[in-house]
Amino acid sequence: MLRTTRILLATLFFAGITLLFLDFTGVLHHWLGWLAKVQALEAVLALNVVVIVALVALTLVFGRIYCSVICPLGVMQDIFGWFGKKAKKNRYSFSKEKKWLRYSMLGIFLVALVAHIGLLAQLLAPYSAFGRIMTMIFQPLWKMGNNLLASVAESMDSYAFYTVDVWMKSLPVLIVAGVTLILLFVLAWRNGRTYCNTVCPVGTALSFLARFSFLKVNFDKEKCRNCSLCSKNCKAACIDYKNHTVDYSRCVACGDCLKSCKFGALKYDHQLLHEKREKDVDSSKRSFLLASALATTAAMAEEAKKVDGGFADLADKVAPERQTPLTPPGSLSQRNFTVHCTGCQLCVSECPNGVLRPSSDLMHFMTPTMSYEHGFCRPECTRCSDVCPAGAIRPLDDIEKSSIQIGHAVWIKKNCIPVSDGVECGNCARHCPTGAIEMVALNEEDDESPWVPAVNENACIGCGACEYVCPARPFSAIYVEGHEVHKKI
């Protein structure tokens, strides 16, 4: 029952988080948004005390079931490992804990967090790696499938589906996601949970608590026949059948060893209970307790609001070179955003306007940034602040968002069509939602002088509507320069 319950709950968690990243409509976040907020690192960075306490309690009672049920990267490795076991049964073996590697990785990760070296932290964080893979590789494939269905439906005079644009948000980050996916597949295929027990900083941190968990896998030495099936089926390589010991710091309470044991020599219980229990222990009670604990953790998460954004027709443009990157409203400042963001890319996958994408700049690599070649940041859309699980983008309502200045528009005379081509335009002024742009004569003393935009920086919020609708190609005649610290107007 332990293994069956674990597989069922892991399937539900994994499917929910995967759909959360793949969904481009924003509908599923209303129901599944809490799944992102119960991830360990994101809860710590967001100072979500309820989730942190729940995860600590969960680990102290049941061991590292977070890694085998709630963490999507852990479940993904189990899926890869399952294919490996199909190719060759009983493929694993016991290996000693590589403390020097585990603690080195944890130390590097903590130093990266403290020193605000986002690239290192995002490369090591498990949820960030999973989000990168889903957003950069699988969401475009999901959108292509949607567009195919939309074409088929349209040929049948049905509009149950609508087409969406598929475009490459960042080639360097796509390459990183692809390499990460290949490495995880190879490691899990060959050796199961190698990443979890050597590289993952969250797994190492939880291992300190898991050593003292109330419920553990225990050996009944009288029943054990030293057949080694438990070790050969342990994807964490933590069972030493010769000495009848289990490394609880690496055990993820998956239950595979319990199923593989033919002699009933392994039980999942407390040591004292294990020594005193009757031979016919009812394991179903433990499985029910496990399911109840996970359900309680899920219930503690806060349900997010559903806010529909909008989609705009996309046009090819070249992004301007901004001296200061644009960060989403609610991120407060570039520094605050960098400190809290784990690079999970959930805001990128959920952005309905094509504004957010992972940065290719080495200083902010993989950290989401804003640009307006494919759309602009609509004042009424708060999707990114709704979905952020780490507190990098704090929750906003549409009224508050409309008063936050993340940057200001800058006019480039040589690119402006009225100046370069001698034709009337005024797109930027007509589409500015705050009225920060007005058209004025370039030369007031000349009656035939072209009319060009003048920007009131005090009223501009940096939404990028002007930059997006500007017809100048390849560079817009007006673009938004970011502010390191956001202002309220």
Side-chain angles (χ1 to χ4, degrees):
M1 283 298 294
L2 171 67
R3 183 173 181 272
T4 303
T5 304
R6 191 267 304 173
I7 292 176
L8 176 61
L9 291 173
T11 300
L12 293 175
F13 270 85
F14 182 77
I17 295 178
T18 300
L19 289 173
L20 188 62
F21 278 98
L22 298 181
D23 176 48
F24 52 84
T25 65
V27 175
L28 291 181
H29 177 74
H30 180 72
W31 307 100
L32 304 176
W34 60 270
L35 290 172
K37 296 181 179 180
V38 298
Q39 302 303 312
L41 176 61
E42 284 63 30
V44 170
L45 292 175
L47 298 179
N48 193 332
V49 178
V50 174
V51 174
I52 294 172
V53 171
L55 292 179
V56 169
L58 201 65
T59 305
L60 287 174
V61 175
F62 301 103
R64 281 177 54 185
I65 59 169
Y66 169 86
C67 301
S68 59
V69 174
I70 301 176
C71 176
L73 197 70
V75 180
M76 176 183 280
Q77 291 175 81
D78 286 347
I79 295 172
F80 294 156
W82 180 82
F83 285 111
K85 290 179 70 174
K86 284 293 182 181
K88 180 183 177 181
K89 294 183 178 180
N90 302 325
R91 64 186 301 123
Y92 306 130
S93 62
F94 170 74
S95 63
K96 291 184 178 180
E97 178 187 11
K98 296 178 175 59
K99 293 183 179 181
W100 68 270
L101 181 57
R102 295 182 73 186
Y103 299 142
S104 295
M105 290 294 102
L106 178 60
I108 292 172
F109 177 76
L110 294 176
V111 169
L113 284 182
V114 174
H116 306 153
I117 307 175
L119 175 58
L120 274 178
Q122 293 170 24
L123 284 174
L124 295 175
Y127 184 68
S128 302
F130 179 81
R132 213 162 37 240
I133 292 169
M134 287 295 120
T135 301
M136 303 306 297
I137 298 175
F138 290 99
Q139 193 192 51
L141 297 176
W142 180 270
K143 288 182 176 180
M144 290 177 188
N146 170 82
N147 290 348
L148 179 61
L149 289 175
S151 299
V152 173
E154 185 177 356
S155 66
M156 302 171 63
D157 294 328
S158 171
Y159 295 93
F161 299 91
Y162 60 88
T163 59
V164 293
D165 293 290
V166 182
W167 52 285
M168 185 177 298
K169 295 180 173 69
S170 173
L171 178 59
V173 179
L174 174 62
I175 294 174
V176 171
V179 171
T180 303
L181 179 62
I182 293 171
L183 286 176
L184 286 172
F185 181 83
V186 172
L187 289 174
W189 174 280
R190 292 174 57 86
N191 301 306
R193 290 261 180 165
T194 301
Y195 169 85
C196 288
N197 291 324
T198 56
V199 177
C200 179
V202 175
T204 302
L206 291 176
S207 71
F208 293 109
L209 300 175
R211 300 173 196 269
F212 309 102
S213 62
F214 183 79
L215 299 177
K216 300 175 180 177
V217 175
N218 292 293
F219 270 96
D220 188 331
K221 297 179 181 179
E222 295 181 358
K223 291 184 177 181
C224 182
R225 299 294 182 269
N226 291 336
C227 67
S228 78
L229 283 177
C230 55
S231 293
K232 291 178 178 178
N233 285 275
C234 178
K235 56 198 172 190
C238 67
I239 299 180
D240 183 0
Y241 74 95
K242 294 180 180 180
N243 297 311
H244 302 115
T245 59
V246 179
D247 182 355
Y248 299 116
S249 71
R250 290 183 288 162
C251 178
V252 293
C254 65
D256 288 354
C257 57
L258 305 182
K259 181 189 176 186
S260 64
C261 183
K262 307 297 183 184
F263 307 103
L266 291 172
K267 297 296 180 181
Y268 180 68
D269 55 14
H270 188 264
Q271 182 64 33
L272 295 178
L273 298 177
H274 174 71
E275 295 173 354
K276 298 179 181 180
R277 62 178 165 77
E278 298 292 336
K279 294 182 179 181
D280 56 345
V281 176
D282 184 3
S283 61
S284 63
K285 293 181 180 179
R286 294 191 298 274
S287 298
F288 174 76
L289 186 58
L290 172 63
S292 300
L294 290 175
T296 302
T297 303
M300 291 178 180
E302 180 181 350
E303 187 174 292
K305 299 179 181 178
K306 170 188 171 184
V307 181
D308 291 328
F311 290 89
D313 293 334
L314 306 184
D316 292 334
K317 279 190 176 184
V318 176
E321 293 185 5
R322 309 180 204 274
Q323 294 182 356
T324 303
L326 287 164
T327 60
S331 59
L332 304 180
S333 67
Q334 177 67 49
R335 184 180 183 279
N336 179 76
F337 190 59
T338 303
V339 169
H340 289 86
C341 179
T342 62
C344 74
Q345 311 302 326
L346 183 56
C347 59
V348 174
S349 66
E350 287 282 339
C351 180
N353 306 306
V355 170
L356 285 169
R357 76 282 310 272
S359 174
S360 300
D361 175 35
L362 287 178
M363 293 296 296
H364 308 93
F365 190 61
M366 295 192 297
T367 301
T369 188
M370 303 173 70
S371 201
Y372 303 123
E373 295 78 65
H374 296 271
F376 67 96
C377 190
R378 298 178 181 270
E380 75 277 6
C381 175
T382 58
R383 187 86 62 82
C384 59
S385 67
D386 292 338
V387 303
C388 179
I393 311 173
R394 66 180 185 84
L396 298 170
D397 56 35
D398 54 351
I399 297 177
E400 186 179 5
K401 179 186 175 182
S402 300
S403 65
I404 295 178
Q405 186 183 62
I406 63 173
H408 65 274
V410 177
W411 177 59
I412 306 298
K413 179 180 178 180
K414 65 178 182 179
N415 295 340
C416 194
I417 288 179
V419 176
S420 61
D421 297 346
V423 296
E424 294 184 1
C425 182
N427 265 8
C428 52
R430 285 193 297 272
H431 290 86
C432 179
T434 63
I437 302 176
E438 61 176 326
M439 301 301 291
V440 299
L442 181 61
N443 185 353
E444 296 180 355
E445 298 179 358
D446 185 358
D447 293 339
E448 297 182 0
S449 174
W451 287 69
V452 296
V455 180
N456 180 357
E457 293 185 6
N458 293 325
C460 178
I461 61 174
C463 68
C466 56
E467 180 178 331
Y468 174 62
V469 301
C470 179
R473 294 294 185 275
F475 295 101
S476 295
I478 193 166
Y479 77 98
V480 178
E481 184 61 51
H483 290 169
E484 289 190 4
V485 178
H486 295 177
K487 305 174 183 178
K488 278 199 172 184
I489 60 173

